[in-house]
Amino acid sequence: MDRALALANRGLAVAHPNPRVGAVIVKDGKVAGEGFHTYEGLKHAERIALERAGAKARGATLYLNLEPCCHFGRTGPCTDAIVAAGIARVVAAMKDPNRLVAGHGFRQLKRAGVRIDVGVREAQARRLNENFATWIWSRRPFVTLKSATTLDGRIAERPGVPTAITGPAALAAVQKLRHAADAILTGIGTVLADDPLLTDRTGLPRRRRLLRVVMDSRLRTPLKSRLLRPARKDVLVFTSQSANSAKALALAKKGAEVVQVRSQRGRPDLNEIIRELGRREILSVLIEAGPGVNGAALEAGIVDKMILFYAPKFIGERGVPLAILPAGWSRRKRELRVERVEQYGEDFAVEGYFHDVYRNHRARRKN
């Protein structure tokens, strides 16, 4: 199963919008075939593994991080291929969150006499496809808020002044986070202060270009911003202004798409933005922003995961805080469940969740 999970992870950014799936076929204690899914490659991981195993698949065990599909989509049901190949046992980490499958695949295989075991490395498998599960259930993306901060919770020395907080190892880790995301979201304050590129610079393959999203209520994004050079049509600006205004049309000429949404406390409504991104099949959003957007995202309750990169530094009270939160925030009792702490050179990262995606879905179904 560990090998199946490792193979599935190779589908990062290239399986979108499908889940990441890895498959390993074992016969007589030896690997007979394996594979992982990529969207452009079309074939599902199971079919690739079955083709490579050939006749050795008969009587073998198939390890999967996700329940095999049992419906017609871009390909035929993998359950039919598994039965036809003579697989004797399927070991799966988890049930498919897609309601078109969701246990039906296991039942079809059982009816055909295939032994089913579910739950091996389930926690790892759920984490691997938490983006897909969130989107398939709610049609909204999974949202991660990332920030680099000092030990006293400051992200810059003063407003409008770019400040190097973390070192090279942490910066490289951030690029990996960008590679794993479908979109990166920031605010106009960050654009004006840092003039960032907000690109995926890992050099690794991805099926869709990273979408760069800017919250810009008054359309202050400079036409000479690095975001707009060169014009690649991968910049989406959400504003409270008319999408037909002179500035909006000028931004459009530079390659940006401008979308008008309602205003919430002086900035584009984050819930409406998240719904629109979900409509565009954006499964995951990485927030890299300043204290205003960070605070608004936390207040709106759209953040699923938070990753804070801490540097062993102090800036003091004059520094820019991580987030500006409204009065009464502490009474909300919204706590981060820390899952991992990892070292990056002299820095360290704390990663945690505000809620369990899978548990929340079960609770909603009961209600």
Side-chain angles (χ1 to χ4, degrees), residues 147-158 163-166 308-322 347-348 350:
S147 188
T149 180
T150 59
L151 293 178
D152 57 344
R154 304 304 188 208
I155 62 175
E157 291 184 0
R158 56 185 185 274
T163 305
I165 301 290
T166 52
L308 297 177
F309 289 86
Y310 283 96
K313 303 174 183 177
F314 292 89
I315 287 180
E317 291 184 359
R318 292 186 179 181
V320 179
L322 168 67
D347 310 315
F348 67 95
V350 175

Tab-separated table of all heavy atoms in Angstrom, residues 147-158 163-166 308-322 347-348 350:
chain	number	residue	atom	x	y	z
A	147	SER	N	1.625	31.024	5.452
A	147	SER	CA	2.302	32.282	5.716
A	147	SER	C	3.651	32.011	6.375
A	147	SER	O	3.821	31.014	7.074
A	147	SER	CB	1.457	33.170	6.637
A	147	SER	OG	2.042	34.464	6.739
A	148	ALA	N	4.598	32.915	6.120
A	148	ALA	CA	5.889	32.902	6.810
A	148	ALA	C	5.831	33.956	7.900
A	148	ALA	O	5.413	35.095	7.648
A	148	ALA	CB	7.022	33.195	5.831
A	149	THR	N	6.225	33.602	9.107
A	149	THR	CA	6.078	34.512	10.224
A	149	THR	C	7.231	34.382	11.212
A	149	THR	O	7.913	33.351	11.248
A	149	THR	CB	4.730	34.255	10.945
A	149	THR	OG1	4.590	35.138	12.047
A	149	THR	CG2	4.646	32.820	11.446
A	150	THR	N	7.432	35.417	11.975
A	150	THR	CA	8.427	35.369	13.044
A	150	THR	C	7.804	34.703	14.273
A	150	THR	O	6.599	34.430	14.304
A	150	THR	CB	8.885	36.785	13.411
A	150	THR	OG1	7.741	37.547	13.824
A	150	THR	CG2	9.547	37.467	12.219
A	151	LEU	N	8.612	34.487	15.283
A	151	LEU	CA	8.100	33.846	16.490
A	151	LEU	C	7.078	34.715	17.217
A	151	LEU	O	6.260	34.192	17.985
A	151	LEU	CB	9.261	33.505	17.432
A	151	LEU	CG	10.225	32.428	16.916
A	151	LEU	CD1	11.358	32.220	17.911
A	151	LEU	CD2	9.518	31.111	16.646
A	152	ASP	N	7.123	36.022	16.982
A	152	ASP	CA	6.120	36.895	17.593
A	152	ASP	C	4.976	37.224	16.637
A	152	ASP	O	4.243	38.189	16.827
A	152	ASP	CB	6.757	38.179	18.154
A	152	ASP	CG	7.528	38.972	17.101
A	152	ASP	OD1	7.836	38.410	16.037
A	152	ASP	OD2	7.838	40.159	17.350
A	153	GLY	N	4.825	36.398	15.607
A	153	GLY	CA	3.653	36.499	14.743
A	153	GLY	C	3.633	37.669	13.799
A	153	GLY	O	2.561	38.182	13.448
A	154	ARG	N	4.815	38.094	13.286
A	154	ARG	CA	4.893	39.203	12.343
A	154	ARG	C	5.334	38.697	10.971
A	154	ARG	O	6.209	37.843	10.861
A	154	ARG	CB	5.884	40.278	12.830
A	154	ARG	CG	5.588	40.837	14.206
A	154	ARG	CD	4.198	41.392	14.294
A	154	ARG	NE	3.962	42.102	15.536
A	154	ARG	CZ	2.763	42.215	16.113
A	154	ARG	NH1	1.711	41.649	15.546
A	154	ARG	NH2	2.612	42.882	17.228
A	155	ILE	N	4.715	39.255	9.919
A	155	ILE	CA	5.033	38.800	8.564
A	155	ILE	C	5.819	39.846	7.769
A	155	ILE	O	6.243	39.583	6.649
A	155	ILE	CB	3.755	38.412	7.799
A	155	ILE	CG1	2.808	39.599	7.639
A	155	ILE	CG2	3.046	37.253	8.488
A	155	ILE	CD1	1.590	39.305	6.783
A	156	ALA	N	6.015	41.040	8.327
A	156	ALA	CA	6.819	42.094	7.700
A	156	ALA	C	7.198	43.113	8.764
A	156	ALA	O	6.546	43.224	9.806
A	156	ALA	CB	6.056	42.769	6.566
A	157	GLU	N	8.266	43.871	8.487
A	157	GLU	CA	8.733	44.867	9.454
A	157	GLU	C	7.754	46.023	9.589
A	157	GLU	O	7.525	46.529	10.689
A	157	GLU	CB	10.113	45.384	9.044
A	157	GLU	CG	11.206	44.324	9.202
A	157	GLU	CD	12.575	44.882	8.889
A	157	GLU	OE1	12.672	46.086	8.546
A	157	GLU	OE2	13.549	44.116	8.969
A	158	ARG	N	7.166	46.436	8.452
A	158	ARG	CA	6.141	47.479	8.492
A	158	ARG	C	5.325	47.390	7.198
A	158	ARG	O	5.777	46.822	6.203
A	158	ARG	CB	6.741	48.870	8.683
A	158	ARG	CG	7.774	49.296	7.692
A	158	ARG	CD	8.370	50.667	8.095
A	158	ARG	NE	9.295	51.165	7.089
A	158	ARG	CZ	10.572	50.854	7.034
A	158	ARG	NH1	11.089	50.008	7.923
A	158	ARG	NH2	11.352	51.355	6.094
A	163	THR	N	9.676	41.951	3.411
A	163	THR	CA	10.615	41.510	4.433
A	163	THR	C	10.912	40.028	4.256
A	163	THR	O	9.992	39.209	4.213
A	163	THR	CB	10.038	41.745	5.845
A	163	THR	OG1	9.667	43.125	5.977
A	163	THR	CG2	11.058	41.398	6.913
A	164	ALA	N	12.197	39.686	4.144
A	164	ALA	CA	12.587	38.285	4.063
A	164	ALA	C	12.465	37.672	5.451
A	164	ALA	O	13.130	38.103	6.395
A	164	ALA	CB	14.019	38.160	3.547
A	165	ILE	N	11.604	36.683	5.582
A	165	ILE	CA	11.368	36.061	6.885
A	165	ILE	C	12.100	34.724	6.992
A	165	ILE	O	12.941	34.539	7.871
A	165	ILE	CB	9.863	35.854	7.136
A	165	ILE	CG1	9.116	37.202	7.084
A	165	ILE	CG2	9.635	35.157	8.478
A	165	ILE	CD1	9.410	38.128	8.230
A	166	THR	N	11.799	33.802	6.096
A	166	THR	CA	12.362	32.447	6.172
A	166	THR	C	13.504	32.261	5.177
A	166	THR	O	13.707	33.076	4.274
A	166	THR	CB	11.266	31.403	5.908
A	166	THR	OG1	10.595	31.733	4.679
A	166	THR	CG2	10.249	31.390	7.034
A	308	LEU	N	2.049	27.336	8.725
A	308	LEU	CA	2.815	28.495	9.155
A	308	LEU	C	4.294	28.142	9.207
A	308	LEU	O	4.691	27.213	9.913
A	308	LEU	CB	2.343	28.959	10.532
A	308	LEU	CG	0.888	29.446	10.624
A	308	LEU	CD1	0.543	29.800	12.060
A	308	LEU	CD2	0.648	30.624	9.688
A	309	PHE	N	5.092	28.872	8.431
A	309	PHE	CA	6.541	28.703	8.437
A	309	PHE	C	7.125	29.715	9.427
A	309	PHE	O	7.049	30.925	9.203
A	309	PHE	CB	7.112	28.930	7.040
A	309	PHE	CG	6.782	27.841	6.065
A	309	PHE	CD1	5.587	27.864	5.360
A	309	PHE	CD2	7.658	26.786	5.857
A	309	PHE	CE1	5.275	26.854	4.462
A	309	PHE	CE2	7.355	25.768	4.962
A	309	PHE	CZ	6.161	25.804	4.265
A	310	TYR	N	7.701	29.224	10.501
A	310	TYR	CA	8.241	30.091	11.547
A	310	TYR	C	9.752	30.244	11.390
A	310	TYR	O	10.481	29.260	11.227
A	310	TYR	CB	7.956	29.509	12.932
A	310	TYR	CG	6.535	29.718	13.399
A	310	TYR	CD1	5.574	28.720	13.236
A	310	TYR	CD2	6.163	30.900	14.020
A	310	TYR	CE1	4.273	28.906	13.684
A	310	TYR	CE2	4.859	31.102	14.470
A	310	TYR	CZ	3.927	30.094	14.297
A	310	TYR	OH	2.634	30.284	14.734
A	311	ALA	N	10.207	31.484	11.461
A	311	ALA	CA	11.642	31.776	11.489
A	311	ALA	C	12.024	32.141	12.918
A	311	ALA	O	11.233	32.769	13.632
A	311	ALA	CB	11.968	32.932	10.546
A	312	PRO	N	13.215	31.769	13.367
A	312	PRO	CA	13.640	32.069	14.748
A	312	PRO	C	14.039	33.538	14.893
A	312	PRO	O	15.191	33.872	15.166
A	312	PRO	CB	14.829	31.124	14.959
A	312	PRO	CG	15.399	30.950	13.593
A	312	PRO	CD	14.220	30.969	12.646
A	313	LYS	N	13.067	34.413	14.684
A	313	LYS	CA	13.306	35.855	14.704
A	313	LYS	C	12.185	36.565	15.458
A	313	LYS	O	11.094	36.007	15.640
A	313	LYS	CB	13.348	36.421	13.272
A	313	LYS	CG	14.380	35.796	12.353
A	313	LYS	CD	14.215	36.341	10.928
A	313	LYS	CE	15.195	35.683	9.966
A	313	LYS	NZ	14.992	36.159	8.566
A	314	PHE	N	12.453	37.802	15.850
A	314	PHE	CA	11.429	38.674	16.430
A	314	PHE	C	11.489	40.023	15.711
A	314	PHE	O	12.569	40.507	15.370
A	314	PHE	CB	11.677	38.886	17.927
A	314	PHE	CG	11.476	37.655	18.752
A	314	PHE	CD1	12.528	36.771	18.973
A	314	PHE	CD2	10.240	37.368	19.306
A	314	PHE	CE1	12.351	35.628	19.734
A	314	PHE	CE2	10.054	36.223	20.068
A	314	PHE	CZ	11.112	35.348	20.278
A	315	ILE	N	10.342	40.612	15.471
A	315	ILE	CA	10.281	41.935	14.853
A	315	ILE	C	9.755	42.970	15.835
A	315	ILE	O	10.221	44.101	15.872
A	315	ILE	CB	9.416	41.899	13.578
A	315	ILE	CG1	10.183	41.170	12.461
A	315	ILE	CG2	9.033	43.309	13.134
A	315	ILE	CD1	9.424	41.076	11.143
A	316	GLY	N	8.779	42.597	16.639
A	316	GLY	CA	8.234	43.538	17.608
A	316	GLY	C	6.886	44.088	17.219
A	316	GLY	O	6.340	43.789	16.156
A	317	GLU	N	6.345	44.937	18.074
A	317	GLU	CA	4.973	45.423	17.909
A	317	GLU	C	4.768	46.257	16.657
A	317	GLU	O	3.655	46.352	16.148
A	317	GLU	CB	4.559	46.245	19.142
A	317	GLU	CG	4.404	45.406	20.402
A	317	GLU	CD	3.895	46.227	21.569
A	317	GLU	OE1	3.684	47.448	21.373
A	317	GLU	OE2	3.700	45.665	22.650
A	318	ARG	N	5.818	46.894	16.152
A	318	ARG	CA	5.658	47.706	14.948
A	318	ARG	C	5.514	46.863	13.683
A	318	ARG	O	5.175	47.382	12.621
A	318	ARG	CB	6.857	48.650	14.806
A	318	ARG	CG	6.921	49.736	15.872
A	318	ARG	CD	8.044	50.715	15.599
A	318	ARG	NE	8.102	51.776	16.599
A	318	ARG	CZ	8.972	52.771	16.587
A	318	ARG	NH1	9.881	52.837	15.609
A	318	ARG	NH2	8.949	53.678	17.531
A	319	GLY	N	5.795	45.596	13.794
A	319	GLY	CA	5.698	44.722	12.639
A	319	GLY	C	4.266	44.455	12.218
A	319	GLY	O	3.311	44.712	12.949
A	320	VAL	N	4.124	43.928	11.009
A	320	VAL	CA	2.801	43.608	10.447
A	320	VAL	C	2.338	42.260	10.986
A	320	VAL	O	3.055	41.272	10.882
A	320	VAL	CB	2.864	43.567	8.906
A	320	VAL	CG1	1.508	43.204	8.319
A	320	VAL	CG2	3.352	44.908	8.363
A	321	PRO	N	1.134	42.178	11.569
A	321	PRO	CA	0.655	40.910	12.131
A	321	PRO	C	0.268	39.907	11.045
A	321	PRO	O	0.013	40.279	9.902
A	321	PRO	CB	-0.563	41.330	12.950
A	321	PRO	CG	-1.077	42.544	12.249
A	321	PRO	CD	0.160	43.268	11.756
A	322	LEU	N	0.216	38.660	11.443
A	322	LEU	CA	-0.181	37.582	10.536
A	322	LEU	C	-1.586	37.787	9.999
A	322	LEU	O	-1.859	37.593	8.819
A	322	LEU	CB	-0.090	36.247	11.277
A	322	LEU	CG	-0.714	35.027	10.611
A	322	LEU	CD1	0.038	34.660	9.337
A	322	LEU	CD2	-0.729	33.844	11.573
A	347	ASP	N	14.452	27.178	10.048
A	347	ASP	CA	13.033	27.450	10.231
A	347	ASP	C	12.275	26.153	10.505
A	347	ASP	O	12.800	25.057	10.338
A	347	ASP	CB	12.462	28.123	8.985
A	347	ASP	CG	13.310	29.309	8.530
A	347	ASP	OD1	13.694	30.115	9.384
A	347	ASP	OD2	13.591	29.405	7.310
A	348	PHE	N	11.017	26.296	10.904
A	348	PHE	CA	10.161	25.123	11.058
A	348	PHE	C	8.738	25.485	10.660
A	348	PHE	O	8.343	26.659	10.705
A	348	PHE	CB	10.206	24.570	12.488
A	348	PHE	CG	9.598	25.464	13.529
A	348	PHE	CD1	8.282	25.296	13.933
A	348	PHE	CD2	10.343	26.484	14.122
A	348	PHE	CE1	7.713	26.131	14.897
A	348	PHE	CE2	9.786	27.309	15.086
A	348	PHE	CZ	8.469	27.137	15.476
A	350	VAL	N	4.538	24.561	11.003
A	350	VAL	CA	3.445	23.932	11.748
A	350	VAL	C	2.262	23.800	10.795
A	350	VAL	O	1.826	24.791	10.193
A	350	VAL	CB	3.046	24.766	12.978
A	350	VAL	CG1	1.833	24.149	13.668
A	350	VAL	CG2	4.218	24.879	13.939
